[in-house]
């Protein structure tokens, strides 16, 4: 958004600040804009702007015949000092723009003169309108992530990644020239790519070789090319192939206390680190290995100076131990004051009172504010908000309670650690049916347990419930919303700015009604209601559907199973359920109806009422084996004739159809097709294809030259895609567990089209990435006493994927004599959250 609608008075104040900060420039006289210009100019560009912004003047009156204004005359009506090449355009009847030909200068103060009389009629003395603005001072910031290995198996090459950011617009070519990377004194190339965020770039220097001796890598930056005084350098050691060491140690204390160790090589993922990584004086450490990083979780909260020790027993991914141990001093600090919400959602069932939980650390008190959104305003509120929104609150509700809440109620609690607290809302408010309440929590310097030098007093709370003063709450803001708050790990709680953006809030609806809504293609709606306390169906509950204009579309009461089925004339906006004092609200706009975004709901849309599914008796076959394929057909609406033919084809890896048959007989909708391959058939991926009318269904059939399986292998790739880990299990065919047997899981990722049900016409795949990778070992180890094992379901270089991937899992379990059983499965894999 271009920032030009700024009041005249405010712009004068801003310009004074700009002039003082613009050292070294030609001094320009401050222009005092006559407030009387408001009669002719309603807004204009002022203050600090981006180098890419256009200069805009919005007039109070319309320009007559603006479309016929001669261009040659127009270009001389706006002048800028220092001179700027550009073009004057009339955007519409009241808006005039000066569009610079190229970006404005960095850290420059400008004066604009506009021949106002040439656009609108003005009184004497107002013929020329002058105003001023300035561009930002350019700063160059470089963050280097450090050296990383490409994957767990490639140790000969590493890559260096980082980000570059500037305070204002700059060309990518100039930014790249501002950075240099040297390996043993020799300049090496790197790639740079602009991020989707403004004024930031990712860079990577890849294929950095590791040799017999360690090397020195230096990153330098100098902002002189982009008119910035920012300079700096960082040095890194590229370890030799015989060296394996700790690169860095970092303490993270934002939530839990974590000591993060970065190693020069990727680590063996499943090794035990107990006793290998230790912090003398602290017991009960927990460890998490991710690639070449180890997070060490510290129980409770510790303060003071400690040493972290790494013994040479730790192993890299190739199984080699570190040459020598490592010791580093760390400092664990007192917790910074913070509050955070517990759980998620906005519905608060009244099971044991209206209890609002939250957590706090390093605080002895908090301020609580409750705003009530009236039932009659809920429909309008949900037009501009979701249930947890906070836009335009002054239009929909008022403050009904404000209170300072002491957290020093239990002497056994150590308030310098995270503790759970609750607010009994029934002691603060009397809830009304259908009302939504916003509970907000903030704190200030006077409430903290930090030892700061200056004495501070708590501000007084506002007590006007008919309309509240937002200045205090806006100053503290709400963490994670708008631009009010941010987190700076280095910021001290003794600074007043620390408390900017630390407030939290949540909207709640006191209700026991759980709601589910589905709409069929024929506009038949299904409402399912249940009691969230007892989980029982809620019968005889009135359900009403409203459109966006608050007009009733249809209503009815649920049956004994808590269900209501109604055909709707048009698409509803809001569903409201009423049962005694309880109310339930559900927005029915796209994207809000029982969101499935966290679930795998992949599949095909039912075409013409017909749905089909192919399944087989196992996952892999040998050449010459019989193959039994079953096809399940669902035809609920009986669209197909009684003996409609179902055609089956088996296609080999070369695309040749080796078997084809048509059947009309089935058993409860299941068709069986018995086929196979010859003993000299080619191995690879065959394809079973079933055709029913215009609908076609396919399944991959894997044929390999293997011995008959004597072990049954279980792996759920669909479930693996939902979590960070995947479980493999194996049993002998006679039922005994395959304990102690070695298992190997190979995964190959191939690109597939990324598509979502409601957005078939959109392209989600990146055109500049391919994302295809070779085969990667996901697990190679021994099964436990139950014949099971877990492995990390994460793979290298997936960030380069164009979109969704297809994961091909090949699992082998080896017998003691060397023979193995094999299983092959395929599942979609999402490389991004």
């Amino acid at each position: 958004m271009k920032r030009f609608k700024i009041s005249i008075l405010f712009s004068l104040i801003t310009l004074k600040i700009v002039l003082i900060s613009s050292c070294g420039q030609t001094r320009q006289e401050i222009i005092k804009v006559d407030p009387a210009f408001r009669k002719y100019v309603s807004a204009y560009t002022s203050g600090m702007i981006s180098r890419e912004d256009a200069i805009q003047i919005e007039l109070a009156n319309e320009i007559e015949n603006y479309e016929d204004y001669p261009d040659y005359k127009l270009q001389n009506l706006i002048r800028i000092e220092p001179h700027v090449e550009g073009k004057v355009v009339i955007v519409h009847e009241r808006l005039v723009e000066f569009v610079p030909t190229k970006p404005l200068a960095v850290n420059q103060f400008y004066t604009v003169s506009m021949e106002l009389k040439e656009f609108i009629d003005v009184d004497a003395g107002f013929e020329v309108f002058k105003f001023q603005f300035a561009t930002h001072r350019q700063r160059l910031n470089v963050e280097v992530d450090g050296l990383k290995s490409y994957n767990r198996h490639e140790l000969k090459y590493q890559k260096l990644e980082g980000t570059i950011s500037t305070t204002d617009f700059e060309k990518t070519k100039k930014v790249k020239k501002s950075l240099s990377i040297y390996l043993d004194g020799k300049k090496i190339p790197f790639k740079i790519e602009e991020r989707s965020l403004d004024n930031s770039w990712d860079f990577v220097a890849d294929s950095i070789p590791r040799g017999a001796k360690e090397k020195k890598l230096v990153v330098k930056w100098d902002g002189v090319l982009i008119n910035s005084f920012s300079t700096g350098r960082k040095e890194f050691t590229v370890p030799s192939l015989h060296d394996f060491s700790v690169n860095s140690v970092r303490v993270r204390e934002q939530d839990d206390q974590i000591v993060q160790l970065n190693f020069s090589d990727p680590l063996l993922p499943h090794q035990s680190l107990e006793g290998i990584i230790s912090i003398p004086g602290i017991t009960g450490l927990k460890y998490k290995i991710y690639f070449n990083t180890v997070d060490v979780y510290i129980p409770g909260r510790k303060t003071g100076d400690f040493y972290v020790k790494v013994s040479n027993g730790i192993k890299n991914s190739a199984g080699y131990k570190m040459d020598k141990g490592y010791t580093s001093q760390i400092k664990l600090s007192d917790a910074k004051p913070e509050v955070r919400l517990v759980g998620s959602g906005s519905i608060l069932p009244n099971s044991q009172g209206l209890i609002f939980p939250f957590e706090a650390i390093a605080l002895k008190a908090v301020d609580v504010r409750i705003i009530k959104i009236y039932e009659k305003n809920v429909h309008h509120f949900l037009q501009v908000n979701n249930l947890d929104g906070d836009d335009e609150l002054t239009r929909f509700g008022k403050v009904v309670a404000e209170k300072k809440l002491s957290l020093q109620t239990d002497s056994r609690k150590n308030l310098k650690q995270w503790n759970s607290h609750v607010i009994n809302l029934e002691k603060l408010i009397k809830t009304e049916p259908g009302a939504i309440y916003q509970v907000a929590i903030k704190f200030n310097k006077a409430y903290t347990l930090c030892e700061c030098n200056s004495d501070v007093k708590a501000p007084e709370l506002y007590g006007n419930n008919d309309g509240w003063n937002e200045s205090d709450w806006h100053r503290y803001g709400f963490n994670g919303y708008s631009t009010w708050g941010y987190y700076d790990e280095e910021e001290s709680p003794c600074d007043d700015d620390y408390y900017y953006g630390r407030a939290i809030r949540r909207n709640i609806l006191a209700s026991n009604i759980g709601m589910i809504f589905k709409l069929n293609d024929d506009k038949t709606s299904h409402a399912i209601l249940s009691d969230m306390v007892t989980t029982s169906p809620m019968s005889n509950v009135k359900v009403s559907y409203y459109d966006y204009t608050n007009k009733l579309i249809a209503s009815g009461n649920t049956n004994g199973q808590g269900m209501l089925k109604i055909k709707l004339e048009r698409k509803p906006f809001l569903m409201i359920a009423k049962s005694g004092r309880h109310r339930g609200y559900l927005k029915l706009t796209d994207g809000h109806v029982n969101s499935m975004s966290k679930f795998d709901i992949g599949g095909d849309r039912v075409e013409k009422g017909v749905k089909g599914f192919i399944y087989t008796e196992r996952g892999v076959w040998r050449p010459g084996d019989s193959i039994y394929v079953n096809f399940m057909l669902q035809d609920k609406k009986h669209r197909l004739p009684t003996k409609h033919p179902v055609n089956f084809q088996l296609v080999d890896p070369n695309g040749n159809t080796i078997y084809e048959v048509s059947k009309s007989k089935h058993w409860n909708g299941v068709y069986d097709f018995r086929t196979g391959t010859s003993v000299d058939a080619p191995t690879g991926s065959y394809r079973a294809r079933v055709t029913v009318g215009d609908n076609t269904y396919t399944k991959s059939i894997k044929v390999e030259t293997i011995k008959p399986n004597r072990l049954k292998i279980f792996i759920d790739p669909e479930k693996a895609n939902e979590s960070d880990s995947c479980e493999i299990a194996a049993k002998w065919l006679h039922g005994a567990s395959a304990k102690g047997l070695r298992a190997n899981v190979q995964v190959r990722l191939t690109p597939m089209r990324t598509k979502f049900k409601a957005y078939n016409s959109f392209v989600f795949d990146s055109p500049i990435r391919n994302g295809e990778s070779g085969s990667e070992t996901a697990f190679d180890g021994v099964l436990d006493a139950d014949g099971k094992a877990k492995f990390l379901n994460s793979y290298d270089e997936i960030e380069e994927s164009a979109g969704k991937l297809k994961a091909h899992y090949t699992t082998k379990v080896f017998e003691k004599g060397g023979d193995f059983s094999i299983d092959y499965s395929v599942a979609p894999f999402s490389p991004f959250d």
Side-chain angles (χ1 to χ4, degrees):
M1 181 180 294
K2 291 182 172 58
R3 292 172 288 176
F4 76 100
K5 293 189 177 181
I6 301 175
S7 69
I8 293 174
L9 179 61
F10 177 77
S11 65
L12 289 177
I13 297 171
T14 305
L15 290 171
K16 288 182 180 179
I17 297 171
V18 170
L19 186 60
I20 293 169
S21 64
S22 301
C23 300
Q25 297 185 8
T26 303
R27 184 176 181 86
Q28 296 188 45
E29 181 184 354
I30 291 291
I31 296 175
K32 296 181 179 180
V33 180
D34 189 342
F37 269 105
R38 292 177 180 172
K39 181 179 178 181
Y40 309 107
V41 179
S42 59
Y44 57 92
T45 295
S46 64
M48 305 289 288
I49 71 168
S50 172
R51 298 174 60 210
E52 280 194 305
D53 286 350
I55 294 88
Q56 299 180 321
I57 305 97
E58 185 177 286
L59 305 176
N61 302 316
E62 295 183 2
I63 305 171
E64 294 183 2
N65 302 320
Y66 73 94
E67 293 178 341
D68 301 325
Y69 220 89
D71 186 70
Y72 72 90
K73 181 180 179 182
L74 195 61
Q75 303 312 312
N76 298 318
L77 299 184
I78 295 180
R79 299 177 301 281
I80 302 180
E81 183 188 350
H83 180 68
V84 176
E85 294 288 342
K87 184 176 182 180
V88 181
V89 294
I90 301 178
V91 180
H92 57 71
E93 65 272 10
R94 291 178 52 217
L95 181 61
V96 181
E97 267 191 359
F98 180 89
V99 183
T101 304
K102 57 184 180 180
L104 299 170
V106 172
N107 192 29
Q108 181 64 54
F109 190 72
Y110 289 98
T111 300
V112 183
S113 299
M114 177 187 186
E115 298 292 335
L116 193 59
K117 66 180 185 300
E118 299 294 334
F119 294 95
I120 57 176
D121 293 331
V122 297
D123 295 334
F126 296 93
E127 293 86 354
V128 178
F129 175 57
K130 288 189 176 184
F131 60 95
Q132 295 169 315
F133 66 90
T135 55
H136 294 280
R137 174 177 292 181
Q138 190 69 288
R139 289 183 176 86
L140 180 70
N141 183 52
V142 179
E143 295 289 338
V144 187
D145 296 337
L147 287 162
K148 296 180 180 179
S149 298
Y150 283 92
N151 54 55
R152 296 182 178 90
H153 316 287
E154 178 55 76
L155 301 181
K156 292 183 180 180
Y157 292 93
Q158 293 185 320
K159 59 182 177 180
L160 182 81
E161 295 179 326
T163 58
I164 308 172
S165 60
T166 57
T167 53
D168 199 0
F169 165 80
E170 194 50 76
K171 292 182 179 179
T172 301
K173 187 176 180 179
K174 285 189 175 182
V175 172
K176 185 174 182 180
K177 288 183 177 180
S178 301
L179 187 74
S180 303
I181 303 177
Y182 300 87
L183 182 64
D184 277 351
K186 184 179 179 182
K187 198 171 184 177
I188 63 173
F190 64 93
K191 299 175 184 177
I192 186 171
E193 181 178 345
E194 189 170 2
R195 280 186 171 188
S196 58
L197 299 174
D198 291 339
N199 309 321
S200 59
W201 297 259
D202 290 321
F203 71 88
V204 57
D206 53 16
S207 301
I208 299 173
R210 296 174 62 181
K213 297 181 179 179
E214 68 177 34
K215 300 177 182 180
K216 185 178 181 181
L217 189 73
V218 179
V219 181
K220 295 181 180 179
W221 60 93
D222 190 340
V224 64
L225 194 63
I226 61 172
N227 297 314
S228 171
F229 293 105
S230 304
T231 61
R233 63 178 282 153
K234 288 189 177 181
E235 296 185 3
F236 300 89
T237 300
V238 182
S240 70
L241 287 171
H242 306 290
D243 187 18
F244 168 40
S245 59
V246 179
N247 280 340
S248 62
V249 177
R250 178 188 176 194
V251 178
R252 293 167 47 197
E253 298 186 290
Q254 182 174 348
D255 288 324
D256 299 319
Q257 280 185 313
I258 300 173
V259 179
Q260 190 175 73
L261 295 94
N262 181 274
F263 290 81
S264 59
D265 282 355
L267 302 176
L268 194 66
H270 302 291
Q271 61 183 307
S272 173
L273 297 181
E274 189 172 352
I276 294 179
I277 299 179
S278 61
I279 302 177
I282 302 178
T283 58
L285 301 175
K286 302 292 183 182
Y287 310 91
K288 181 180 180 182
I289 301 175
Y290 182 76
F291 204 39
N292 67 330
T293 300
V294 176
D295 285 344
V296 183
Y297 293 83
I298 298 175
R301 195 92 196 180
K302 310 295 181 184
T303 59
D305 294 326
F306 294 87
Y307 287 92
V308 58
K309 295 185 177 182
V310 183
S311 76
N312 60 356
I314 195 166
K315 299 178 181 178
N316 65 11
S317 60
Y320 293 96
K321 294 183 178 180
M322 197 163 60
D323 284 344
K324 54 184 179 180
Y326 174 86
T327 302
S328 177
Q329 187 175 17
I330 58 173
K331 184 177 183 61
L332 302 179
S333 306
D334 277 331
K336 295 180 180 180
E338 196 70 69
V339 289
R340 64 187 181 190
L341 295 170
V342 177
S344 59
S346 299
I347 311 298
L348 187 61
N350 193 351
S351 56
Q352 294 179 343
L354 294 176
I355 301 300
F356 186 90
F358 70 98
E359 293 181 346
I361 190 171
L363 287 169
K364 56 189 176 184
V366 294
D367 291 331
V368 180
R369 181 185 72 176
I370 302 175
I371 298 174
K372 176 182 177 181
I373 301 166
Y374 293 90
E375 181 180 11
K376 64 181 181 180
N377 295 334
V378 167
H379 187 281
H380 192 189
F381 172 78
L382 292 176
Q383 287 184 359
V384 295
N385 290 283
N386 294 331
L387 195 58
D388 62 347
D390 67 346
D391 286 344
E392 304 181 28
L393 275 184
T394 53
R395 298 177 58 190
F396 307 120
K398 73 171 186 177
V399 174
V400 292
E402 282 188 306
K403 183 178 178 61
K404 176 182 176 181
L405 181 68
S406 174
L407 305 182
Q408 296 174 308
T409 57
D410 189 345
S411 58
R412 295 171 297 177
K413 286 185 177 180
N414 181 3
L415 295 181
K416 291 192 174 183
Q417 296 185 5
W418 281 107
N419 286 284
S420 297
H421 306 276
V422 295
I423 303 171
N424 188 347
L425 300 180
E426 290 183 329
K427 292 183 178 180
L428 300 177
I429 59 173
K430 183 179 180 181
T431 59
E432 293 184 8
I436 298 173
Y437 296 88
Q438 184 189 87
V439 181
I441 303 172
K442 71 173 178 64
F443 57 92
N444 55 66
K445 193 189 296 186
Y447 296 169
T448 71
L449 298 174
C450 303
E451 295 181 1
C452 300
N453 294 329
S454 58
D455 295 328
V456 292
K457 295 182 179 180
E460 295 183 3
L461 294 176
Y462 301 109
N464 179 9
N465 290 343
D466 296 324
W468 61 91
N469 186 337
E470 281 287 280
S471 62
D472 192 40
W473 287 88
H474 275 215
R475 182 164 63 87
Y476 287 98
F478 296 109
N479 195 16
Y481 292 87
S482 184
T483 56
W484 290 340
Y486 61 93
Y487 182 83
D488 186 349
E489 194 169 336
E490 302 301 324
E491 197 169 19
S492 169
C494 293
D495 298 334
D496 291 337
D497 288 344
Y498 175 84
Y499 301 89
Y500 179 78
R502 300 289 172 178
I504 57 174
R505 62 109 177 112
R506 173 173 288 165
N507 292 0
I508 60 169
L509 173 66
S511 174
N512 290 354
I513 303 177
M515 307 169 68
I516 296 176
F517 172 84
K518 297 300 292 181
L519 186 67
N520 292 350
D521 292 337
D522 62 357
K523 296 183 180 179
T524 301
S525 66
H526 300 266
I528 302 102
L529 272 58
S530 59
D531 190 311
M532 289 193 291
V533 177
T534 66
T535 71
S536 302
M538 298 186 70
S539 60
N540 200 31
V541 178
K542 185 177 181 180
V543 177
S544 302
Y545 296 101
Y546 294 88
D547 64 14
Y548 198 79
T549 63
N550 206 16
K551 298 296 183 183
L552 180 66
I553 300 174
S555 65
N557 289 6
T558 57
N559 60 20
Q561 285 75 44
M563 299 181 182
L564 174 65
K565 179 180 177 182
I566 301 180
K567 193 159 187 177
L568 304 177
E569 297 178 357
R570 57 189 183 277
K571 191 173 182 179
F573 163 73
L574 183 64
M575 170 183 166
I576 300 178
K578 296 183 179 180
S579 175
R581 292 181 53 84
H582 295 278
R583 302 287 187 270
Y585 302 105
L586 185 61
K587 281 181 73 170
L588 303 180
T589 51
D590 293 338
H592 293 97
V593 183
N594 306 125
S595 174
M596 300 294 181
S597 61
K598 295 184 178 179
F599 302 94
D600 183 3
I601 55 171
D604 296 324
R605 181 182 291 273
V606 178
E607 299 290 346
K608 301 177 183 178
V610 178
K611 191 175 182 180
F613 176 72
I614 301 174
Y615 63 97
T616 56
E617 88 282 11
R618 51 184 157 130
V620 65
W621 293 261
R622 298 173 303 166
D625 280 353
S626 297
I627 302 174
Y628 299 98
V629 180
N630 293 280
F631 175 68
M632 186 182 298
L633 179 66
Q634 186 184 69
D635 182 19
K636 285 186 174 182
K637 297 184 178 180
H638 305 291
R639 298 287 179 87
L640 299 175
T642 305
K643 293 186 178 181
H644 190 281
V646 174
N647 300 316
F648 172 81
Q649 290 179 317
L650 183 65
V651 183
D652 70 10
N654 299 319
N656 302 314
T657 302
I658 61 173
Y659 179 78
E660 186 171 6
V661 69
S662 178
K663 285 190 175 184
S664 58
K665 292 184 179 181
H666 60 87
W667 187 79
N668 286 341
V670 178
Y671 299 77
D672 72 302
F673 301 101
R674 305 188 180 196
T675 181
T677 58
S678 61
V679 292
D680 57 350
T683 59
S685 295
Y686 286 65
R687 188 168 69 256
R689 182 164 57 205
V690 177
T691 304
V692 184
D694 295 336
N695 300 328
T696 302
Y697 309 90
T698 61
K699 179 178 176 61
S700 177
I701 304 289
K702 195 73 173 178
V703 176
E704 298 285 359
T705 52
I706 59 169
K707 292 184 178 182
N709 280 356
R710 300 205 302 171
L711 293 156
K712 180 63 178 177
I713 301 169
F714 304 90
I715 182 172
D716 189 349
E718 296 278 356
K719 186 177 180 181
N721 196 22
E722 298 174 4
S723 61
D724 293 334
S725 62
C726 183
E727 185 176 73
I728 175 178
K731 289 185 177 182
W732 293 97
L733 293 181
H734 51 69
S737 67
K739 64 178 181 179
L741 297 186
R742 175 174 165 256
N744 178 276
V745 181
Q746 294 287 326
V747 179
R748 183 170 61 90
L749 300 174
T750 58
M752 62 181 288
R753 183 187 169 197
T754 305
K755 55 183 180 179
F756 301 96
K757 193 171 184 179
Y759 304 96
N760 288 328
S761 60
F762 288 79
V763 177
F764 293 94
D765 296 290
S766 170
I768 61 173
R769 298 175 178 176
N770 53 42
E772 186 163 5
S773 67
S775 182
E776 182 175 345
T777 301
F779 176 77
D780 193 348
V782 177
L783 303 179
D784 62 17
D786 297 323
K788 297 179 179 180
K790 284 188 176 183
F791 61 88
L792 191 65
N793 190 41
S794 63
Y795 307 103
D796 302 318
E797 298 184 3
I798 58 175
E799 67 272 8
E800 295 298 324
S801 304
K804 283 189 176 181
L805 301 172
K806 186 176 288 186
H808 306 258
Y809 294 82
T810 302
T811 306
K812 295 179 181 179
V813 179
F814 296 85
E815 302 174 20
K816 297 294 185 182
D819 289 341
F820 62 85
S821 297
I822 189 170
D823 179 78
Y824 176 80
S825 53
V826 179
F829 183 87
S830 180
F832 312 109
D833 290 340

